[in-house]
Amino acid sequence: MMKERGCCASICQCFFEYSTPKILVIRSFKVGTVNRITQALVIAYVIGYVCVVNKGYQETDAVLSSVTTKVKGIALTNTSDLGLQIWDVADYVIPPQEESTFFVLTNLLITLNQTQSHCPEVPKTGFDCTSDRDCKAGSRDTRGNGVQTGKCVKYSAAEKTCEVLAWCPLELDKEPPNPPMLADAENFTVLIKNSIRYPKFNFNKRNILPYVNKTYLEQCVFNRITDPDCPIFRLKDMVTEANEDFQTMAVHGGVMGVQIRWECDLDMPSSWCVPRYTFRRLDNKDPVNNVAPGYNFRFAKYYKNGNNEETRTLIKGFGIRFDVMVFGQAGKFNIVPTLLNLGAGLALLGLVTVVCDWIVLTCMTKKNIYNEQKYSYVDDFQLLSNETP
Amino acid sequence: MMKERGCCASICQCFFEYSTPKILVIRSFKVGTVNRITQALVIAYVIGYVCVVNKGYQETDAVLSSVTTKVKGIALTNTSDLGLQIWDVADYVIPPQEESTFFVLTNLLITLNQTQSHCPEVPKTGFDCTSDRDCKAGSRDTRGNGVQTGKCVKYSAAEKTCEVLAWCPLELDKEPPNPPMLADAENFTVLIKNSIRYPKFNFNKRNILPYVNKTYLEQCVFNRITDPDCPIFRLKDMVTEANEDFQTMAVHGGVMGVQIRWECDLDMPSSWCVPRYTFRRLDNKDPVNNVAPGYNFRFAKYYKNGNNEETRTLIKGFGIRFDVMVFGQAGKFNIVPTLLNLGAGLALLGLVTVVCDWIVLTCMTKKNIYNEQKYSYVDDFQLLSNETP
Amino acid sequence: MMKERGCCASICQCFFEYSTPKILVIRSFKVGTVNRITQALVIAYVIGYVCVVNKGYQETDAVLSSVTTKVKGIALTNTSDLGLQIWDVADYVIPPQEESTFFVLTNLLITLNQTQSHCPEVPKTGFDCTSDRDCKAGSRDTRGNGVQTGKCVKYSAAEKTCEVLAWCPLELDKEPPNPPMLADAENFTVLIKNSIRYPKFNFNKRNILPYVNKTYLEQCVFNRITDPDCPIFRLKDMVTEANEDFQTMAVHGGVMGVQIRWECDLDMPSSWCVPRYTFRRLDNKDPVNNVAPGYNFRFAKYYKNGNNEETRTLIKGFGIRFDVMVFGQAGKFNIVPTLLNLGAGLALLGLVTVVCDWIVLTCMTKKNIYNEQKYSYVDDFQLLSNETP
């Protein structure tokens, strides 16, 4: 009975215990100063960097985004092939809709009235010939435009090349026009509609801000100083902000990044959460290593002529692809990351003790006194300890 | 010799040392209770939140995904322009294939037989005129449809507008038909094939689950209750799940998000890892700030008439773009994150000592006794210490 | 005055204090060995895993990427419908440009000269009929090709099916040709241009490496051993690297992932940061559960005939979609993550004390001596403590 009560009591005793390390307090100008300075550094780092700069007390969420774009503008071209020609949005945006990117045609090489027939290959190494023996029937070179028939025919008065089965007449392998044909494209405008969502915080917003009304939207154009909230951008302005020249870029085409950054501190009023637009050229225009510059692709319009034969107009289109990239994260106070960062900060405070202990026990004149006070010893080495002086 | 042996011994001694802090155990109801409760809170937090809810013992991997879609369905329209017309998938999905999104045409404004020619601009502020002096040859307004010729011509009996070189006749600037022309689109179905991969765990799965056979797939339609694993979705059902009305949305178009979530605990059987489908409208249809609503774009079909002149049919297409978004992460036990979370938990246990020390040494009646026992002092301040009482 | 000076002094004293825990040093073979081994394990883990393998001393950044692609090659087909036909890039890449993906047509079912008219539905369960009563005027089945007129007409000498208003003649529901029509596609090449950027480190690079010149680029083809830096890929090589057979895959189509990995250690010379290419089939070709295999979609070319009637050529296109996926992260030394990982490592060193204390105080023969030396007691339980033996 007495024993049972003792056992119970000792469990109780154990439960109501609190263990705290015994501390040696050293009162010293030098050590104290080093200690406080190190502590101050760590605390300043934890508070300043982790809490203020990185907002470690906030839970964060990545942005979900939906982008639609709408280009407007008219271009006029005047060529010997086509005469005066008007280009509107249905003509120069290819394909007509994409998820968060749009392509604007700025320059082109056009080959009219192609049909499936026979014609001499464009003169190039490997396609020149003097007789049929130089041409191999059925050969299809990736650099060529068709399948060789095996005949050697006149390309011009001076030159003979292998005949091919292809879409004839062949496209001439020449440089794109300079200045670009759709030079007017610099004045095209694009309306970018962007809705974002931070799912964790159930927060929705869009880049057409609440105060923007229909009247303003019908006549505004983005300008970093006067109209920073207008979601309508002039193509030339975007290219200029990326330190590029529109007319130069338009000749060979290229890829532009339209970056929309939504950095939102949701502990602040939600009206402070606004998009920031930046523009950057994404493809490389390194003049030293200028291999395969710009951006172009080929597409065709197919027709049938009176004899029900298929003909096509082949267009090698050069232009600027604008990739809309939406970035950003939102933060809101949450106890979990706060505790985590507090814990990490405390762990770093442990470094202070390591640094100061090392100074106290090795560098100070009174290090022996401190050693004596800080450490107690239990020695198991009977033999060894007898030998130590 | 003796000295060398002593040196060696003292290194040995140092190696076989173990330093452990000296602990003061306080046996007290109050302090013990505070201590144990704080400890319990921290441990409960670490185990409950970090381990169970956040699965801190698992290594995680983000999903890699590939999506293909296939729409099916037939719509019938009856207009004065076109008469009875059938629309099938090749007609209403534009462009015919995209990476993880598809667009379904639901409404349209059609302008037939446009050719490059001259015609009066659509009446709008800025284009009205009374004489040729009001029109500026060569002017190309972004809001206009062509390049002005400088003439002022009759638009209707009552109105005169500036003449433009453009694709004529011009598109009339009017509201889209309501009800939408392709109202039948609500019954279209889409098969969404989605293969996912967690590369770290070499785990592959697809949304057509193993038990789904061809027979089932030919007649099933997704239903959250009866057919939650069928990967074929009726467009109207998707829109309805997002709390929108299909016919209303179809008039001006919009953007829908089809979210596929793969949350996989790979410590569990892999058959538990199944996709969850949710649907949300991504564009904003805020009725207060209703600027530029919906989703539409213009595209054209090009023809050549008997005289080898190019004509086109311009279509302003309104419709719903469905963006398929694949989310999710997989987790599997791994020793590294387990150790990391254990370390962070231990660091937080350090907080317990801070809290309890503060209570013990400032609030308790016997705080002087505790202070005396916990702290020893080495004092370097001869002068100062003489002055302290 | 004296008191004030005393108060000031005690604040000074407090400021120049340094608290360090009192340590009990146990000199013992067993405990020392356990202690040093545990310490060595933790330190080896922290240094080896966190610092060397995971490069915990580095700040990391995710890659931003821009991709453009350009396919080259010619295919020849010979069918009864079309005769000898040449296919070039404008014919087989659909749509002509996409953001970071491209589709190459490899096989097709073609239906020529469709017009909006009446014709019998393709025989299938649900469309067969014996008299007009079996057909419902206005019915539009998602599996059908048009809207039923309510008549039952002859499909062939033996069969009668319901008549539909549709694009007639209807596409025949048959398997795609095998071998695939554009078998030549295996020799097509694609130039993939990829510019990357690590914004935090202001580091740009592209996959056309500095030493690659125009001459090399005009004739090279990627080969993992001989030409690992050539950005031009033969389609067949990519498919073969993914352990698939091109001709088999080309029949029904599929989805290929072209993965470009940029793992860059920016503490090393930037020329060490090069792209690694890998290829994987993304869609599932599980032979057991082979539901809806491959990748195909329908598109049409629209024409107008002499009577200004619209006709179209419907193409069910099978092909391979190549999704270019750019991965990778860059790391560079930074003091912040270094400190964080050091802190976490120190916290783990706390585990050593926990483990060793447990061994020392429960398993060792002299545990009572250690206990006595490590712990001091302050006891508040007058009554209880009297009862304990």
Side-chain angles (χ1 to χ4, degrees):
Chain A
M1 171 82 200
M2 184 72 188
K3 200 179 167 189
E4 209 166 63
R5 213 181 150 190
C7 179
C8 178
S10 88
I11 284 170
C12 272
Q13 216 174 347
C14 186
F15 185 80
F16 289 112
E17 266 178 20
Y18 167 58
S19 304
T20 181
K22 293 180 92 167
I23 301 294
L24 173 70
V25 178
I26 298 173
R27 286 177 175 152
S28 150
F29 276 118
K30 284 185 200 164
V31 185
T33 310
V34 169
N35 176 33
R36 294 303 174 192
I37 287 174
T38 328
Q39 274 181 342
L41 280 176
V42 170
I43 290 171
Y45 167 78
V46 168
I47 291 180
Y49 188 84
V50 178
C51 295
V52 178
V53 178
N54 269 7
K55 297 211 173 113
Y57 57 89
Q58 288 188 333
E59 187 184 29
T60 59
D61 194 10
V63 71
L64 288 187
S65 149
S66 151
V67 173
T68 62
T69 60
K70 191 162 197 179
V71 186
K72 272 196 179 166
I74 299 287
L76 181 72
T77 62
N78 193 353
T79 56
S80 54
D81 282 344
L82 299 167
L84 267 185
Q85 177 124 4
I86 285 291
W87 297 77
D88 71 5
V89 63
D91 300 322
Y92 60 68
V93 174
I94 304 146
Q97 72 100 4
E98 287 181 280
E99 196 178 353
S100 60
T101 180
F102 62 98
F103 171 84
V104 174
L105 194 73
T106 57
N107 207 359
L108 64 152
L109 290 173
I110 200 163
T111 314
L112 293 167
N113 295 320
Q114 288 189 324
T115 54
Q116 299 256 345
S117 52
H118 296 92
C119 50
E121 183 58 273
V122 176
K124 221 190 273 185
T125 337
F127 301 127
D128 294 318
C129 62
T130 49
S131 76
D132 289 359
R133 269 169 302 166
D134 298 337
C135 301
K136 213 178 120 213
S139 153
R140 54 202 84 170
D141 194 300
T142 41
R143 292 176 306 130
N145 293 292
V147 179
Q148 295 191 10
T149 58
K151 285 190 202 153
C152 183
V153 294
K154 271 199 173 159
Y155 178 77
S156 62
E159 278 181 298
K160 288 181 92 178
T161 57
C162 293
E163 193 191 52
V164 285
L165 169 62
W167 284 100
C168 293
L170 296 181
E171 185 191 87
L172 297 175
D173 188 18
K174 56 183 182 187
E175 277 291 293
N178 190 350
M181 281 182 64
L182 279 77
D184 292 343
E186 66 179 32
N187 289 317
F188 293 174
T189 58
V190 59
L191 163 64
I192 299 180
K193 287 199 271 177
N194 176 216
S195 293
I196 58 134
R197 180 176 166 78
Y198 288 108
K200 260 191 210 167
F201 310 125
N202 198 23
F203 179 85
N204 297 297
K205 199 155 186 182
R206 57 178 187 155
N207 69 334
I208 301 178
L209 300 178
Y211 75 84
V212 171
N213 57 32
K214 203 158 186 166
T215 324
Y216 177 68
L217 212 61
E218 261 167 8
Q219 48 82 21
C220 78
V221 168
F222 176 82
N223 180 301
R224 199 164 288 288
I225 293 138
T226 59
D227 294 83
D229 293 332
C230 177
I232 297 174
F233 303 87
R234 207 164 71 109
L235 299 199
K236 189 184 182 179
D237 295 344
M238 291 199 278
V239 174
T240 307
E241 284 235 1
N243 297 317
E244 300 284 334
D245 177 60
F246 188 90
Q247 294 299 335
T248 311
M249 191 171 175
V251 173
H252 284 97
V255 184
M256 286 285 305
V258 179
Q259 301 174 334
I260 308 182
R261 189 173 291 273
W262 292 86
E263 292 297 346
C264 295
D265 185 342
L266 297 183
D267 295 328
M268 299 294 167
S270 73
S271 62
W272 292 19
C273 167
V274 291
R276 302 262 164 251
Y277 303 98
T278 48
F279 308 95
R280 218 166 53 73
R281 185 167 183 171
L282 295 181
D283 65 322
N284 201 300
K285 47 135 211 174
D286 185 344
V288 182
N289 181 18
N290 200 2
V291 182
Y295 185 53
N296 66 71
F297 59 90
R298 285 184 180 81
F299 63 99
K301 294 183 202 171
Y302 297 88
Y303 309 100
K304 274 195 179 165
N305 63 16
N307 313 325
N308 207 26
E309 264 183 352
E310 194 168 37
T311 71
R312 71 173 196 185
T313 298
L314 177 67
I315 294 167
K316 182 174 182 182
F318 301 81
I320 306 178
R321 196 181 76 197
F322 293 84
D323 293 351
V324 183
M325 302 167 173
V326 183
F327 296 104
Q329 65 174 23
K332 201 172 192 174
F333 172 78
N334 187 291
I335 192 68
V336 176
T338 309
L339 281 180
L340 269 178
N341 278 291
L342 216 69
L346 279 178
L348 275 178
L349 276 179
L351 272 179
V352 177
T353 309
V354 173
V355 170
C356 291
D357 272 0
W358 181 77
I359 291 171
V360 169
L361 301 174
T362 59
C363 308
M364 305 282 288
T365 45
K366 295 188 191 162
K367 60 185 174 188
N368 290 330
I369 302 173
Y370 301 143
N371 253 316
E372 219 165 78
Q373 292 281 329
K374 186 172 163 75
Y375 295 108
S376 322
Y377 295 89
V378 180
D379 214 322
D380 281 7
F381 307 108
Q382 257 81 32
L383 268 163
L384 284 166
S385 59
N386 288 350
E387 278 161 358
T388 47
Chain B
M1 172 80 200
M2 184 73 187
K3 199 178 169 192
E4 207 165 65
R5 214 179 150 193
C7 179
C8 178
S10 88
I11 285 169
C12 273
Q13 215 173 350
C14 185
F15 184 81
F16 289 113
E17 266 177 19
Y18 167 57
S19 305
T20 181
K22 294 179 90 168
I23 300 293
L24 173 70
V25 178
I26 297 173
R27 285 176 177 154
S28 149
F29 275 118
K30 283 186 201 164
V31 185
T33 311
V34 170
N35 177 33
R36 295 303 173 192
I37 286 174
T38 328
Q39 275 180 344
L41 280 175
V42 170
I43 290 170
Y45 166 78
V46 169
I47 292 179
Y49 187 85
V50 179
C51 295
V52 177
V53 178
N54 269 8
K55 298 208 172 113
Y57 57 88
Q58 288 189 333
E59 187 184 28
T60 59
D61 194 9
V63 72
L64 288 187
S65 150
S66 150
V67 172
T68 63
T69 59
K70 191 162 198 179
V71 185
K72 272 196 178 167
I74 298 287
L76 182 71
T77 61
N78 193 351
T79 55
S80 53
D81 283 344
L82 299 167
L84 266 185
Q85 177 124 5
I86 285 289
W87 297 77
D88 72 4
V89 64
D91 301 321
Y92 60 69
V93 174
I94 304 147
Q97 72 100 5
E98 288 180 278
E99 196 177 353
S100 59
T101 179
F102 62 97
F103 171 85
V104 174
L105 194 73
T106 57
N107 206 1
L108 65 152
L109 290 173
I110 199 163
T111 314
L112 293 168
N113 295 319
Q114 287 190 324
T115 54
Q116 299 255 346
S117 51
H118 296 92
C119 49
E121 182 60 272
V122 176
K124 221 190 274 184
T125 336
F127 301 127
D128 293 317
C129 61
T130 48
S131 76
D132 288 359
R133 271 169 299 170
D134 298 337
C135 300
K136 211 176 121 211
S139 153
R140 55 202 84 170
D141 193 300
T142 40
R143 292 175 307 130
N145 293 293
V147 178
Q148 294 192 10
T149 57
K151 285 190 204 155
C152 182
V153 294
K154 269 198 175 161
Y155 178 77
S156 62
E159 277 182 300
K160 288 180 92 177
T161 58
C162 294
E163 193 192 52
V164 286
L165 170 62
W167 284 100
C168 294
L170 297 181
E171 185 192 86
L172 298 175
D173 187 18
K174 57 183 183 188
E175 277 290 292
N178 191 349
M181 282 180 65
L182 277 78
D184 292 343
E186 67 179 31
N187 290 318
F188 293 173
T189 58
V190 59
L191 164 63
I192 298 180
K193 286 199 271 179
N194 175 217
S195 292
I196 59 135
R197 179 175 167 79
Y198 288 107
K200 261 191 209 166
F201 310 124
N202 198 24
F203 179 85
N204 296 296
K205 199 154 186 184
R206 57 177 187 155
N207 69 334
I208 302 178
L209 299 178
Y211 74 85
V212 171
N213 57 31
K214 203 158 185 166
T215 324
Y216 177 68
L217 212 61
E218 261 166 9
Q219 47 84 21
C220 78
V221 169
F222 175 83
N223 180 301
R224 198 164 289 287
I225 293 138
T226 59
D227 294 82
D229 294 333
C230 177
I232 297 174
F233 304 86
R234 207 165 69 108
L235 299 199
K236 189 184 182 178
D237 294 346
M238 292 199 276
V239 174
T240 307
E241 283 235 0
N243 296 317
E244 300 284 332
D245 177 59
F246 189 90
Q247 294 299 334
T248 311
M249 190 172 176
V251 173
H252 284 98
V255 185
M256 285 286 305
V258 179
Q259 302 174 334
I260 308 182
R261 188 173 292 273
W262 291 87
E263 292 297 346
C264 295
D265 185 342
L266 298 181
D267 296 327
M268 300 294 166
S270 72
S271 62
W272 292 19
C273 167
V274 289
R276 301 264 165 249
Y277 304 98
T278 49
F279 309 95
R280 220 167 52 73
R281 184 167 185 172
L282 295 181
D283 66 321
N284 201 299
K285 47 136 210 172
D286 186 343
V288 181
N289 180 18
N290 200 1
V291 182
Y295 185 53
N296 66 72
F297 59 90
R298 284 181 181 81
F299 64 99
K301 292 184 201 169
Y302 297 88
Y303 308 100
K304 274 194 180 165
N305 62 18
N307 313 325
N308 206 27
E309 264 183 352
E310 195 168 37
T311 69
R312 69 174 197 186
T313 298
L314 177 68
I315 295 166
K316 182 173 182 182
F318 300 81
I320 306 178
R321 197 180 76 197
F322 293 85
D323 294 351
V324 183
M325 303 167 172
V326 182
F327 296 104
Q329 65 174 23
K332 202 171 190 173
F333 173 78
N334 187 291
I335 192 69
V336 176
T338 309
L339 281 181
L340 269 178
N341 278 291
L342 216 67
L346 279 178
L348 275 178
L349 275 180
L351 271 179
V352 176
T353 311
V354 173
V355 169
C356 290
D357 272 0
W358 181 77
I359 292 171
V360 168
L361 302 173
T362 58
C363 307
M364 306 281 288
T365 46
K366 292 188 191 163
K367 59 185 174 188
N368 289 331
I369 303 173
Y370 300 145
N371 253 318
E372 217 164 77
Q373 291 282 329
K374 187 173 164 72
Y375 295 108
S376 321
Y377 294 89
V378 180
D379 213 321
D380 280 6
F381 307 108
Q382 257 81 30
L383 266 164
L384 284 167
S385 61
N386 288 350
E387 275 160 0
T388 47
Chain C
M1 172 82 200
M2 185 73 187
K3 200 180 169 190
E4 210 165 63
R5 210 179 156 194
C7 178
C8 178
S10 88
I11 285 170
C12 273
Q13 213 172 352
C14 185
F15 184 80
F16 289 112
E17 265 178 21
Y18 166 58
S19 304
T20 181
K22 294 179 91 168
I23 300 293
L24 173 71
V25 179
I26 298 173
R27 285 176 175 153
S28 150
F29 275 118
K30 283 186 200 165
V31 185
T33 310
V34 169
N35 176 33
R36 296 301 175 194
I37 287 174
T38 328
Q39 273 180 344
L41 280 177
V42 170
I43 290 170
Y45 166 78
V46 169
I47 290 179
Y49 188 84
V50 178
C51 294
V52 178
V53 178
N54 269 8
K55 297 209 172 113
Y57 58 88
Q58 287 189 333
E59 187 186 28
T60 59
D61 194 10
V63 72
L64 288 187
S65 149
S66 150
V67 172
T68 63
T69 60
K70 190 161 198 179
V71 185
K72 271 196 179 167
I74 298 288
L76 181 71
T77 62
N78 193 352
T79 56
S80 54
D81 282 344
L82 298 168
L84 266 185
Q85 177 125 4
I86 285 290
W87 297 77
D88 72 4
V89 63
D91 301 321
Y92 59 68
V93 174
I94 303 147
Q97 72 100 7
E98 288 181 278
E99 196 177 353
S100 58
T101 179
F102 62 98
F103 171 85
V104 174
L105 194 73
T106 57
N107 207 0
L108 64 153
L109 290 173
I110 198 163
T111 313
L112 292 166
N113 294 320
Q114 287 190 323
T115 54
Q116 299 256 347
S117 51
H118 296 93
C119 51
E121 184 58 273
V122 176
K124 222 189 273 184
T125 336
F127 301 128
D128 294 317
C129 61
T130 49
S131 76
D132 289 358
R133 268 169 301 166
D134 297 337
C135 302
K136 212 178 120 212
S139 153
R140 54 201 83 169
D141 193 300
T142 39
R143 293 175 307 130
N145 293 292
V147 178
Q148 295 192 11
T149 58
K151 285 188 201 154
C152 183
V153 294
K154 269 198 176 163
Y155 177 78
S156 63
E159 277 181 299
K160 288 181 92 178
T161 57
C162 293
E163 192 192 53
V164 285
L165 169 62
W167 284 100
C168 293
L170 297 181
E171 185 190 87
L172 298 175
D173 188 18
K174 56 182 182 188
E175 276 290 293
N178 191 350
M181 281 181 64
L182 277 78
D184 292 343
E186 67 179 31
N187 290 319
F188 292 174
T189 58
V190 60
L191 164 63
I192 299 180
K193 287 199 271 178
N194 175 216
S195 293
I196 59 135
R197 177 175 168 79
Y198 288 108
K200 261 190 209 167
F201 310 126
N202 198 23
F203 179 86
N204 296 296
K205 199 154 186 183
R206 57 180 188 153
N207 70 332
I208 301 177
L209 299 178
Y211 75 85
V212 171
N213 58 31
K214 202 157 186 166
T215 324
Y216 177 68
L217 212 61
E218 260 166 9
Q219 47 84 20
C220 78
V221 168
F222 176 84
N223 181 301
R224 198 164 290 285
I225 293 137
T226 59
D227 294 82
D229 294 332
C230 177
I232 297 174
F233 304 85
R234 208 165 70 108
L235 299 199
K236 189 185 181 177
D237 294 346
M238 292 200 275
V239 174
T240 306
E241 284 235 0
N243 296 317
E244 300 284 333
D245 177 59
F246 188 90
Q247 293 299 334
T248 311
M249 191 172 175
V251 174
H252 284 98
V255 185
M256 285 286 304
V258 179
Q259 301 174 335
I260 308 183
R261 188 173 291 273
W262 292 87
E263 292 296 347
C264 296
D265 185 341
L266 297 182
D267 295 327
M268 300 294 167
S270 72
S271 61
W272 292 19
C273 167
V274 291
R276 303 263 164 250
Y277 304 98
T278 48
F279 308 95
R280 218 166 54 72
R281 183 166 184 171
L282 295 181
D283 66 322
N284 201 299
K285 47 136 211 173
D286 186 344
V288 182
N289 180 19
N290 200 1
V291 182
Y295 185 52
N296 66 71
F297 60 91
R298 285 183 181 82
F299 63 99
K301 294 182 199 169
Y302 297 87
Y303 309 100
K304 273 194 180 167
N305 62 16
N307 313 325
N308 206 25
E309 264 183 352
E310 195 167 36
T311 70
R312 70 174 197 184
T313 297
L314 177 68
I315 295 166
K316 182 175 183 181
F318 300 81
I320 306 178
R321 197 180 76 197
F322 293 84
D323 294 350
V324 183
M325 303 167 172
V326 183
F327 296 104
Q329 66 175 21
K332 200 170 192 175
F333 173 78
N334 188 292
I335 192 69
V336 175
T338 311
L339 281 181
L340 269 179
N341 278 291
L342 215 70
L346 279 179
L348 275 178
L349 275 180
L351 271 179
V352 176
T353 310
V354 173
V355 169
C356 290
D357 272 0
W358 181 77
I359 292 171
V360 169
L361 302 173
T362 58
C363 308
M364 305 281 287
T365 45
K366 293 189 191 161
K367 59 185 175 188
N368 288 331
I369 302 173
Y370 301 144
N371 252 316
E372 221 163 73
Q373 291 282 328
K374 186 173 162 75
Y375 294 108
S376 322
Y377 294 90
V378 180
D379 213 322
D380 280 8
F381 308 107
Q382 257 82 30
L383 267 162
L384 284 165
S385 59
N386 289 350
E387 277 160 0
T388 47

